[in-house]
Amino acid sequence: MGNKAAVINEDPEPKLLGRGFLWKINVPNSTSVGYAAINEDGWLTMTEDGALADRFNLEATEDGHAKYVTLNTGKWVNYYLSYNKNGYIGVWRSWEQAAYWDLAMEDDGYKLQAQLGDLKGKNASLEHDTNYLILGVGDSQPNFAIELDGEEPVELVVREQ
């Protein structure tokens, strides 16, 4: 990817909590349903075709509080989910540029939320014209659900509101 991540991590390397899960995406007030996928340029998008969906791993720091996401499939396998200074979510090779993530429960469902850097606390939003997922400035904030395929359930720590 051409742009550098807006976040720099200095914590110890993460440990694996769960692997191979799909993110199902539901857009509120819409019939749009899809899955998270990383496009050819390394950016997080929504696809309606489940066959194009990527699988993800959930990792955490030793204390279990900070959560990372890595790719489990495709061209970007083992790359880390992060975002650039404009809020576009994508993947980076280096762990030091990984962002922390949370699935925060809000009134209408779970939101993918940045937990580090300038956009900490911002939810992933969907740009309808591009299907890119970006932090805080899109057209609508989709709900995220995790679907597992043959793996142990992943326990997520959900922040109290």
Side-chain angles (χ1 to χ4, degrees):
M1 294 183 46
N3 294 336
K4 294 289 184 193
V7 216
I8 299 294
N9 249 332
E10 297 178 3
D11 288 336
E13 295 257 351
K15 62 181 178 178
L16 186 66
L17 294 179
R19 71 174 57 93
F21 63 85
L22 294 171
W23 267 335
K24 186 173 183 181
I25 301 171
N26 298 299
V27 180
N29 305 318
S30 168
T31 57
S32 294
V33 176
Y35 292 92
I38 302 297
N39 70 13
E40 282 296 312
D41 296 322
W43 299 109
L44 184 63
T45 63
M46 184 181 90
T47 179
E48 293 180 3
D49 184 351
L52 298 177
D54 280 300
R55 293 189 176 275
F56 299 85
N57 297 326
L58 181 68
E59 303 182 44
T61 55
E62 295 250 348
D63 61 12
H65 290 103
K67 300 209 171 31
Y68 301 84
V69 176
T70 59
L71 268 287
N72 185 278
T73 56
K75 174 181 176 179
W76 306 103
V77 68
N78 296 324
Y79 278 53
Y80 293 86
L81 200 66
S82 194
Y83 60 90
N84 70 7
K85 64 182 179 180
N86 296 318
Y88 283 85
I89 303 169
V91 290
W92 278 259
R93 179 187 312 245
S94 172
W95 171 82
E96 288 82 14
Q97 294 176 312
Y100 297 151
W101 299 96
D102 191 16
L103 286 177
M105 179 54 128
E106 295 191 0
D107 292 339
D108 58 349
Y110 288 101
K111 305 295 183 188
L112 180 64
Q113 190 177 83
Q115 295 297 305
L116 183 70
D118 293 341
L119 296 174
K120 179 179 179 179
K122 297 289 186 185
N123 293 335
S125 298
L126 181 67
E127 275 189 334
H128 289 289
D129 59 335
T130 63
N131 274 349
Y132 278 56
L133 289 155
I134 59 176
L135 289 173
V137 293
D139 302 316
S140 63
Q141 293 183 352
N143 296 319
F144 289 79
I146 288 180
E147 291 188 359
L148 297 167
D149 183 26
E151 294 289 333
E152 298 272 329
V154 176
E155 288 190 25
L156 292 174
V157 177
V158 178
R159 291 185 307 103
E160 294 292 326
Q161 295 293 318

